[in-house]
mmCIF file with all atom_site columns, all heavy atoms in Angstrom:
data_model
loop_
_atom_site.group_PDB
_atom_site.id
_atom_site.type_symbol
_atom_site.label_atom_id
_atom_site.label_alt_id
_atom_site.label_comp_id
_atom_site.label_asym_id
_atom_site.label_entity_id
_atom_site.label_seq_id
_atom_site.pdbx_PDB_ins_code
_atom_site.Cartn_x
_atom_site.Cartn_y
_atom_site.Cartn_z
_atom_site.occupancy
_atom_site.B_iso_or_equiv
_atom_site.pdbx_formal_charge
_atom_site.auth_seq_id
_atom_site.auth_comp_id
_atom_site.auth_asym_id
_atom_site.auth_atom_id
_atom_site.pdbx_PDB_model_num
ATOM 1   N N   . ARG A 1 29  ? -96.100  7.795  71.945 1.00 95.00 ? 29  ARG A N   1
ATOM 2   C CA  . ARG A 1 29  ? -96.799  7.201  73.053 1.00 95.00 ? 29  ARG A CA  1
ATOM 3   C C   . ARG A 1 29  ? -98.294  7.518  73.092 1.00 95.00 ? 29  ARG A C   1
ATOM 4   O O   . ARG A 1 29  ? -98.999  7.082  73.929 1.00 95.00 ? 29  ARG A O   1
ATOM 5   C CB  . ARG A 1 29  ? -96.149  7.554  74.405 1.00 95.00 ? 29  ARG A CB  1
ATOM 6   C CG  . ARG A 1 29  ? -96.080  9.055  74.589 1.00 95.00 ? 29  ARG A CG  1
ATOM 7   C CD  . ARG A 1 29  ? -95.374  9.337  75.964 1.00 95.00 ? 29  ARG A CD  1
ATOM 8   N NE  . ARG A 1 29  ? -94.926  10.732 75.999 1.00 95.00 ? 29  ARG A NE  1
ATOM 9   C CZ  . ARG A 1 29  ? -94.329  11.255 77.005 1.00 95.00 ? 29  ARG A CZ  1
ATOM 10  N NH1 . ARG A 1 29  ? -93.987  10.529 78.043 1.00 95.00 ? 29  ARG A NH1 1
ATOM 11  N NH2 . ARG A 1 29  ? -93.933  12.500 76.991 1.00 95.00 ? 29  ARG A NH2 1
ATOM 12  N N   . ARG A 1 57  ? -101.437 7.699  62.489 1.00 93.00 ? 57  ARG A N   1
ATOM 13  C CA  . ARG A 1 57  ? -101.465 6.716  61.409 1.00 93.00 ? 57  ARG A CA  1
ATOM 14  C C   . ARG A 1 57  ? -102.342 7.177  60.272 1.00 93.00 ? 57  ARG A C   1
ATOM 15  O O   . ARG A 1 57  ? -102.079 6.749  59.127 1.00 93.00 ? 57  ARG A O   1
ATOM 16  C CB  . ARG A 1 57  ? -101.811 5.349  61.900 1.00 93.00 ? 57  ARG A CB  1
ATOM 17  C CG  . ARG A 1 57  ? -103.128 5.179  62.660 1.00 93.00 ? 57  ARG A CG  1
ATOM 18  C CD  . ARG A 1 57  ? -103.391 3.690  62.932 1.00 93.00 ? 57  ARG A CD  1
ATOM 19  N NE  . ARG A 1 57  ? -102.467 3.101  63.951 1.00 93.00 ? 57  ARG A NE  1
ATOM 20  C CZ  . ARG A 1 57  ? -101.409 2.359  63.601 1.00 93.00 ? 57  ARG A CZ  1
ATOM 21  N NH1 . ARG A 1 57  ? -101.062 2.142  62.383 1.00 93.00 ? 57  ARG A NH1 1
ATOM 22  N NH2 . ARG A 1 57  ? -100.664 1.898  64.576 1.00 93.00 ? 57  ARG A NH2 1
ATOM 23  N N   . THR A 1 66  ? -94.146  3.725  55.452 1.00 97.00 ? 66  THR A N   1
ATOM 24  C CA  . THR A 1 66  ? -94.116  4.161  56.872 1.00 97.00 ? 66  THR A CA  1
ATOM 25  C C   . THR A 1 66  ? -95.150  3.380  57.696 1.00 97.00 ? 66  THR A C   1
ATOM 26  O O   . THR A 1 66  ? -96.309  3.273  57.347 1.00 97.00 ? 66  THR A O   1
ATOM 27  C CB  . THR A 1 66  ? -94.499  5.670  56.936 1.00 97.00 ? 66  THR A CB  1
ATOM 28  O OG1 . THR A 1 66  ? -93.631  6.392  56.108 1.00 97.00 ? 66  THR A OG1 1
ATOM 29  C CG2 . THR A 1 66  ? -94.381  6.154  58.373 1.00 97.00 ? 66  THR A CG2 1
ATOM 30  N N   . LEU A 1 70  ? -97.922  2.624  68.382 1.00 96.00 ? 70  LEU A N   1
ATOM 31  C CA  . LEU A 1 70  ? -98.166  3.247  69.643 1.00 96.00 ? 70  LEU A CA  1
ATOM 32  C C   . LEU A 1 70  ? -97.194  2.676  70.676 1.00 96.00 ? 70  LEU A C   1
ATOM 33  O O   . LEU A 1 70  ? -97.302  1.490  70.962 1.00 96.00 ? 70  LEU A O   1
ATOM 34  C CB  . LEU A 1 70  ? -99.618  2.936  70.086 1.00 96.00 ? 70  LEU A CB  1
ATOM 35  C CG  . LEU A 1 70  ? -100.156 3.547  71.378 1.00 96.00 ? 70  LEU A CG  1
ATOM 36  C CD1 . LEU A 1 70  ? -100.306 5.059  71.207 1.00 96.00 ? 70  LEU A CD1 1
ATOM 37  C CD2 . LEU A 1 70  ? -101.415 2.904  71.775 1.00 96.00 ? 70  LEU A CD2 1
ATOM 38  N N   . GLU A 1 138 ? -119.101 25.810 89.071 1.00 96.00 ? 138 GLU A N   1
ATOM 39  C CA  . GLU A 1 138 ? -120.141 24.984 89.746 1.00 96.00 ? 138 GLU A CA  1
ATOM 40  C C   . GLU A 1 138 ? -119.985 25.068 91.196 1.00 96.00 ? 138 GLU A C   1
ATOM 41  O O   . GLU A 1 138 ? -121.059 25.163 91.926 1.00 96.00 ? 138 GLU A O   1
ATOM 42  C CB  . GLU A 1 138 ? -119.989 23.484 89.262 1.00 96.00 ? 138 GLU A CB  1
ATOM 43  C CG  . GLU A 1 138 ? -120.118 23.199 87.759 1.00 96.00 ? 138 GLU A CG  1
ATOM 44  C CD  . GLU A 1 138 ? -121.556 23.441 87.306 1.00 96.00 ? 138 GLU A CD  1
ATOM 45  O OE1 . GLU A 1 138 ? -122.469 23.392 88.154 1.00 96.00 ? 138 GLU A OE1 1
ATOM 46  O OE2 . GLU A 1 138 ? -121.749 23.653 86.048 1.00 96.00 ? 138 GLU A OE2 1
ATOM 47  N N   . LYS A 1 142 ? -122.578 26.831 94.137 1.00 93.00 ? 142 LYS A N   1
ATOM 48  C CA  . LYS A 1 142 ? -123.124 26.079 95.269 1.00 93.00 ? 142 LYS A CA  1
ATOM 49  C C   . LYS A 1 142 ? -122.831 26.669 96.624 1.00 93.00 ? 142 LYS A C   1
ATOM 50  O O   . LYS A 1 142 ? -123.485 26.489 97.639 1.00 93.00 ? 142 LYS A O   1
ATOM 51  C CB  . LYS A 1 142 ? -122.584 24.659 95.210 1.00 93.00 ? 142 LYS A CB  1
ATOM 52  C CG  . LYS A 1 142 ? -123.324 23.751 94.327 1.00 93.00 ? 142 LYS A CG  1
ATOM 53  C CD  . LYS A 1 142 ? -123.032 22.254 94.655 1.00 93.00 ? 142 LYS A CD  1
ATOM 54  C CE  . LYS A 1 142 ? -121.621 21.859 94.374 1.00 93.00 ? 142 LYS A CE  1
ATOM 55  N NZ  . LYS A 1 142 ? -121.469 20.385 94.304 1.00 93.00 ? 142 LYS A NZ  1
ATOM 56  N N   . ARG A 1 184 ? -127.292 31.499 88.588 1.00 94.00 ? 184 ARG A N   1
ATOM 57  C CA  . ARG A 1 184 ? -128.310 32.253 89.309 1.00 94.00 ? 184 ARG A CA  1
ATOM 58  C C   . ARG A 1 184 ? -127.734 32.947 90.526 1.00 94.00 ? 184 ARG A C   1
ATOM 59  O O   . ARG A 1 184 ? -128.198 33.986 90.911 1.00 94.00 ? 184 ARG A O   1
ATOM 60  C CB  . ARG A 1 184 ? -129.384 31.300 89.787 1.00 94.00 ? 184 ARG A CB  1
ATOM 61  C CG  . ARG A 1 184 ? -130.098 30.590 88.658 1.00 94.00 ? 184 ARG A CG  1
ATOM 62  C CD  . ARG A 1 184 ? -131.063 31.491 87.902 1.00 94.00 ? 184 ARG A CD  1
ATOM 63  N NE  . ARG A 1 184 ? -131.635 30.836 86.706 1.00 94.00 ? 184 ARG A NE  1
ATOM 64  C CZ  . ARG A 1 184 ? -131.087 30.957 85.533 1.00 94.00 ? 184 ARG A CZ  1
ATOM 65  N NH1 . ARG A 1 184 ? -130.065 31.744 85.290 1.00 94.00 ? 184 ARG A NH1 1
ATOM 66  N NH2 . ARG A 1 184 ? -131.668 30.284 84.451 1.00 94.00 ? 184 ARG A NH2 1
ATOM 67  N N   . ARG A 1 383 ? -110.692 17.581 57.902 1.00 63.00 ? 383 ARG A N   1
ATOM 68  C CA  . ARG A 1 383 ? -111.855 17.520 58.735 1.00 63.00 ? 383 ARG A CA  1
ATOM 69  C C   . ARG A 1 383 ? -111.748 18.505 59.930 1.00 63.00 ? 383 ARG A C   1
ATOM 70  O O   . ARG A 1 383 ? -112.692 19.279 60.185 1.00 63.00 ? 383 ARG A O   1
ATOM 71  C CB  . ARG A 1 383 ? -112.056 16.110 59.241 1.00 63.00 ? 383 ARG A CB  1
ATOM 72  C CG  . ARG A 1 383 ? -113.418 15.889 59.868 1.00 63.00 ? 383 ARG A CG  1
ATOM 73  C CD  . ARG A 1 383 ? -113.439 14.695 60.808 1.00 63.00 ? 383 ARG A CD  1
ATOM 74  N NE  . ARG A 1 383 ? -112.684 15.026 62.048 1.00 63.00 ? 383 ARG A NE  1
ATOM 75  C CZ  . ARG A 1 383 ? -113.262 15.577 63.032 1.00 63.00 ? 383 ARG A CZ  1
ATOM 76  N NH1 . ARG A 1 383 ? -114.509 15.977 63.049 1.00 63.00 ? 383 ARG A NH1 1
ATOM 77  N NH2 . ARG A 1 383 ? -112.543 15.937 64.085 1.00 63.00 ? 383 ARG A NH2 1
ATOM 78  N N   . GLU A 1 391 ? -116.776 25.715 64.703 1.00 70.00 ? 391 GLU A N   1
ATOM 79  C CA  . GLU A 1 391 ? -116.874 26.049 66.133 1.00 70.00 ? 391 GLU A CA  1
ATOM 80  C C   . GLU A 1 391 ? -116.522 27.507 66.339 1.00 70.00 ? 391 GLU A C   1
ATOM 81  O O   . GLU A 1 391 ? -117.158 28.192 67.161 1.00 70.00 ? 391 GLU A O   1
ATOM 82  C CB  . GLU A 1 391 ? -115.831 25.186 66.970 1.00 70.00 ? 391 GLU A CB  1
ATOM 83  C CG  . GLU A 1 391 ? -116.060 23.690 66.953 1.00 70.00 ? 391 GLU A CG  1
ATOM 84  C CD  . GLU A 1 391 ? -117.170 23.370 67.934 1.00 70.00 ? 391 GLU A CD  1
ATOM 85  O OE1 . GLU A 1 391 ? -117.580 24.188 68.757 1.00 70.00 ? 391 GLU A OE1 1
ATOM 86  O OE2 . GLU A 1 391 ? -117.726 22.215 67.813 1.00 70.00 ? 391 GLU A OE2 1
ATOM 87  N N   . THR A 1 417 ? -118.583 15.155 89.834 1.00 31.00 ? 417 THR A N   1
ATOM 88  C CA  . THR A 1 417 ? -119.127 15.068 88.493 1.00 31.00 ? 417 THR A CA  1
ATOM 89  C C   . THR A 1 417 ? -119.215 13.647 87.911 1.00 31.00 ? 417 THR A C   1
ATOM 90  O O   . THR A 1 417 ? -119.749 13.356 86.863 1.00 31.00 ? 417 THR A O   1
ATOM 91  C CB  . THR A 1 417 ? -118.336 15.944 87.485 1.00 31.00 ? 417 THR A CB  1
ATOM 92  O OG1 . THR A 1 417 ? -117.031 15.315 87.399 1.00 31.00 ? 417 THR A OG1 1
ATOM 93  C CG2 . THR A 1 417 ? -118.221 17.320 87.976 1.00 31.00 ? 417 THR A CG2 1
ATOM 94  N N   . ARG B 1 29  ? -125.401 14.789 88.880 1.00 95.00 ? 29  ARG B N   1
ATOM 95  C CA  . ARG B 1 29  ? -124.026 14.587 89.257 1.00 95.00 ? 29  ARG B CA  1
ATOM 96  C C   . ARG B 1 29  ? -123.032 14.846 88.140 1.00 95.00 ? 29  ARG B C   1
ATOM 97  O O   . ARG B 1 29  ? -121.798 14.782 88.356 1.00 95.00 ? 29  ARG B O   1
ATOM 98  C CB  . ARG B 1 29  ? -123.838 13.183 89.826 1.00 95.00 ? 29  ARG B CB  1
ATOM 99  C CG  . ARG B 1 29  ? -124.282 12.060 88.858 1.00 95.00 ? 29  ARG B CG  1
ATOM 100 C CD  . ARG B 1 29  ? -124.100 10.729 89.535 1.00 95.00 ? 29  ARG B CD  1
ATOM 101 N NE  . ARG B 1 29  ? -124.775 9.712  88.736 1.00 95.00 ? 29  ARG B NE  1
ATOM 102 C CZ  . ARG B 1 29  ? -124.810 8.448  89.066 1.00 95.00 ? 29  ARG B CZ  1
ATOM 103 N NH1 . ARG B 1 29  ? -124.192 8.035  90.177 1.00 95.00 ? 29  ARG B NH1 1
ATOM 104 N NH2 . ARG B 1 29  ? -125.488 7.552  88.327 1.00 95.00 ? 29  ARG B NH2 1
ATOM 105 N N   . ARG B 1 57  ? -127.107 23.525 82.586 1.00 93.00 ? 57  ARG B N   1
ATOM 106 C CA  . ARG B 1 57  ? -127.394 24.926 82.916 1.00 93.00 ? 57  ARG B CA  1
ATOM 107 C C   . ARG B 1 57  ? -127.594 25.768 81.687 1.00 93.00 ? 57  ARG B C   1
ATOM 108 O O   . ARG B 1 57  ? -128.352 26.759 81.710 1.00 93.00 ? 57  ARG B O   1
ATOM 109 C CB  . ARG B 1 57  ? -126.409 25.504 83.885 1.00 93.00 ? 57  ARG B CB  1
ATOM 110 C CG  . ARG B 1 57  ? -124.930 25.499 83.466 1.00 93.00 ? 57  ARG B CG  1
ATOM 111 C CD  . ARG B 1 57  ? -124.117 26.313 84.476 1.00 93.00 ? 57  ARG B CD  1
ATOM 112 N NE  . ARG B 1 57  ? -123.977 25.584 85.760 1.00 93.00 ? 57  ARG B NE  1
ATOM 113 C CZ  . ARG B 1 57  ? -124.648 25.855 86.827 1.00 93.00 ? 57  ARG B CZ  1
ATOM 114 N NH1 . ARG B 1 57  ? -125.587 26.799 86.821 1.00 93.00 ? 57  ARG B NH1 1
ATOM 115 N NH2 . ARG B 1 57  ? -124.526 25.208 87.964 1.00 93.00 ? 57  ARG B NH2 1
ATOM 116 N N   . THR B 1 66  ? -135.364 28.714 87.443 1.00 97.00 ? 66  THR B N   1
ATOM 117 C CA  . THR B 1 66  ? -134.650 27.372 87.613 1.00 97.00 ? 66  THR B CA  1
ATOM 118 C C   . THR B 1 66  ? -133.182 27.631 87.912 1.00 97.00 ? 66  THR B C   1
ATOM 119 O O   . THR B 1 66  ? -132.460 28.282 87.138 1.00 97.00 ? 66  THR B O   1
ATOM 120 C CB  . THR B 1 66  ? -134.827 26.554 86.343 1.00 97.00 ? 66  THR B CB  1
ATOM 121 O OG1 . THR B 1 66  ? -136.266 26.451 86.031 1.00 97.00 ? 66  THR B OG1 1
ATOM 122 C CG2 . THR B 1 66  ? -134.222 25.172 86.546 1.00 97.00 ? 66  THR B CG2 1
ATOM 123 N N   . LEU B 1 70  ? -124.513 21.111 90.334 1.00 96.00 ? 70  LEU B N   1
ATOM 124 C CA  . LEU B 1 70  ? -123.810 19.924 90.117 1.00 96.00 ? 70  LEU B CA  1
ATOM 125 C C   . LEU B 1 70  ? -123.754 19.228 91.485 1.00 96.00 ? 70  LEU B C   1
ATOM 126 O O   . LEU B 1 70  ? -123.016 19.724 92.395 1.00 96.00 ? 70  LEU B O   1
ATOM 127 C CB  . LEU B 1 70  ? -122.380 20.236 89.615 1.00 96.00 ? 70  LEU B CB  1
ATOM 128 C CG  . LEU B 1 70  ? -121.414 19.074 89.366 1.00 96.00 ? 70  LEU B CG  1
ATOM 129 C CD1 . LEU B 1 70  ? -121.862 18.397 88.095 1.00 96.00 ? 70  LEU B CD1 1
ATOM 130 C CD2 . LEU B 1 70  ? -120.046 19.583 89.208 1.00 96.00 ? 70  LEU B CD2 1
ATOM 131 N N   . LYS B 1 142 ? -98.854  -4.136 66.667 1.00 93.00 ? 142 LYS B N   1
ATOM 132 C CA  . LYS B 1 142 ? -97.569  -4.357 67.254 1.00 93.00 ? 142 LYS B CA  1
ATOM 133 C C   . LYS B 1 142 ? -97.248  -5.818 67.476 1.00 93.00 ? 142 LYS B C   1
ATOM 134 O O   . LYS B 1 142 ? -96.054  -6.218 67.543 1.00 93.00 ? 142 LYS B O   1
ATOM 135 C CB  . LYS B 1 142 ? -97.554  -3.697 68.635 1.00 93.00 ? 142 LYS B CB  1
ATOM 136 C CG  . LYS B 1 142 ? -97.196  -2.248 68.580 1.00 93.00 ? 142 LYS B CG  1
ATOM 137 C CD  . LYS B 1 142 ? -96.789  -1.697 69.910 1.00 93.00 ? 142 LYS B CD  1
ATOM 138 C CE  . LYS B 1 142 ? -97.899  -1.714 70.898 1.00 93.00 ? 142 LYS B CE  1
ATOM 139 N NZ  . LYS B 1 142 ? -97.570  -0.861 72.114 1.00 93.00 ? 142 LYS B NZ  1
ATOM 140 N N   . ARG B 1 184 ? -100.332 -1.414 58.639 1.00 94.00 ? 184 ARG B N   1
ATOM 141 C CA  . ARG B 1 184 ? -99.394  -2.013 57.653 1.00 94.00 ? 184 ARG B CA  1
ATOM 142 C C   . ARG B 1 184 ? -99.341  -3.575 57.896 1.00 94.00 ? 184 ARG B C   1
ATOM 143 O O   . ARG B 1 184 ? -99.073  -4.297 56.969 1.00 94.00 ? 184 ARG B O   1
ATOM 144 C CB  . ARG B 1 184 ? -98.006  -1.478 57.860 1.00 94.00 ? 184 ARG B CB  1
ATOM 145 C CG  . ARG B 1 184 ? -97.856  -0.008 57.610 1.00 94.00 ? 184 ARG B CG  1
ATOM 146 C CD  . ARG B 1 184 ? -97.898  0.319  56.086 1.00 94.00 ? 184 ARG B CD  1
ATOM 147 N NE  . ARG B 1 184 ? -98.024  1.751  55.858 1.00 94.00 ? 184 ARG B NE  1
ATOM 148 C CZ  . ARG B 1 184 ? -99.169  2.436  55.683 1.00 94.00 ? 184 ARG B CZ  1
ATOM 149 N NH1 . ARG B 1 184 ? -100.298 1.718  55.618 1.00 94.00 ? 184 ARG B NH1 1
ATOM 150 N NH2 . ARG B 1 184 ? -99.202  3.704  55.488 1.00 94.00 ? 184 ARG B NH2 1
ATOM 151 N N   . ARG B 1 383 ? -126.312 23.938 68.307 1.00 62.00 ? 383 ARG B N   1
ATOM 152 C CA  . ARG B 1 383 ? -124.921 23.750 67.938 1.00 62.00 ? 383 ARG B CA  1
ATOM 153 C C   . ARG B 1 383 ? -124.605 22.304 67.710 1.00 62.00 ? 383 ARG B C   1
ATOM 154 O O   . ARG B 1 383 ? -123.998 21.924 66.697 1.00 62.00 ? 383 ARG B O   1
ATOM 155 C CB  . ARG B 1 383 ? -123.965 24.286 69.033 1.00 62.00 ? 383 ARG B CB  1
ATOM 156 C CG  . ARG B 1 383 ? -122.564 24.448 68.621 1.00 62.00 ? 383 ARG B CG  1
ATOM 157 C CD  . ARG B 1 383 ? -121.652 24.491 69.821 1.00 62.00 ? 383 ARG B CD  1
ATOM 158 N NE  . ARG B 1 383 ? -121.576 23.180 70.394 1.00 62.00 ? 383 ARG B NE  1
ATOM 159 C CZ  . ARG B 1 383 ? -120.735 22.246 69.968 1.00 62.00 ? 383 ARG B CZ  1
ATOM 160 N NH1 . ARG B 1 383 ? -119.892 22.438 69.042 1.00 62.00 ? 383 ARG B NH1 1
ATOM 161 N NH2 . ARG B 1 383 ? -120.653 21.028 70.562 1.00 62.00 ? 383 ARG B NH2 1
ATOM 162 N N   . GLU B 1 391 ? -120.322 16.050 61.001 1.00 70.00 ? 391 GLU B N   1
ATOM 163 C CA  . GLU B 1 391 ? -119.553 14.860 61.198 1.00 70.00 ? 391 GLU B CA  1
ATOM 164 C C   . GLU B 1 391 ? -120.122 13.704 60.379 1.00 70.00 ? 391 GLU B C   1
ATOM 165 O O   . GLU B 1 391 ? -119.417 12.958 59.802 1.00 70.00 ? 391 GLU B O   1
ATOM 166 C CB  . GLU B 1 391 ? -119.574 14.455 62.726 1.00 70.00 ? 391 GLU B CB  1
ATOM 167 C CG  . GLU B 1 391 ? -118.925 15.416 63.690 1.00 70.00 ? 391 GLU B CG  1
ATOM 168 C CD  . GLU B 1 391 ? -117.398 15.274 63.558 1.00 70.00 ? 391 GLU B CD  1
ATOM 169 O OE1 . GLU B 1 391 ? -116.883 14.304 63.035 1.00 70.00 ? 391 GLU B OE1 1
ATOM 170 O OE2 . GLU B 1 391 ? -116.710 16.222 64.029 1.00 70.00 ? 391 GLU B OE2 1
ATOM 171 N N   . PRO B 1 416 ? -100.184 2.427  77.477 1.00 31.00 ? 416 PRO B N   1
ATOM 172 C CA  . PRO B 1 416 ? -99.015  3.049  76.858 1.00 31.00 ? 416 PRO B CA  1
ATOM 173 C C   . PRO B 1 416 ? -99.340  4.378  76.147 1.00 31.00 ? 416 PRO B C   1
ATOM 174 O O   . PRO B 1 416 ? -98.472  5.066  75.653 1.00 31.00 ? 416 PRO B O   1
ATOM 175 C CB  . PRO B 1 416 ? -98.550  2.022  75.847 1.00 31.00 ? 416 PRO B CB  1
ATOM 176 C CG  . PRO B 1 416 ? -99.771  1.241  75.503 1.00 31.00 ? 416 PRO B CG  1
ATOM 177 C CD  . PRO B 1 416 ? -100.610 1.261  76.739 1.00 31.00 ? 416 PRO B CD  1
ATOM 178 N N   . THR B 1 417 ? -100.635 4.709  76.101 1.00 31.00 ? 417 THR B N   1
ATOM 179 C CA  . THR B 1 417 ? -100.994 5.994  75.328 1.00 31.00 ? 417 THR B CA  1
ATOM 180 C C   . THR B 1 417 ? -100.822 7.228  76.170 1.00 31.00 ? 417 THR B C   1
ATOM 181 O O   . THR B 1 417 ? -100.927 8.324  75.658 1.00 31.00 ? 417 THR B O   1
ATOM 182 C CB  . THR B 1 417 ? -102.476 5.927  74.927 1.00 31.00 ? 417 THR B CB  1
ATOM 183 O OG1 . THR B 1 417 ? -103.290 5.911  76.073 1.00 31.00 ? 417 THR B OG1 1
ATOM 184 C CG2 . THR B 1 417 ? -102.735 4.668  74.131 1.00 31.00 ? 417 THR B CG2 1
#
Side-chain angles (χ1 to χ4, degrees):
Chain A
R29 58 181 163 180
R57 56 173 69 261
T66 307
L70 181 72
E138 298 293 338
K142 276 199 291 196
R184 299 286 172 265
R383 193 200 73 84
E391 293 285 344
T417 65
Chain B
R29 58 181 164 180
R57 58 172 69 261
T66 306
L70 182 72
K142 276 198 292 195
R184 299 285 172 264
R383 194 200 73 85
E391 293 284 345
T417 65

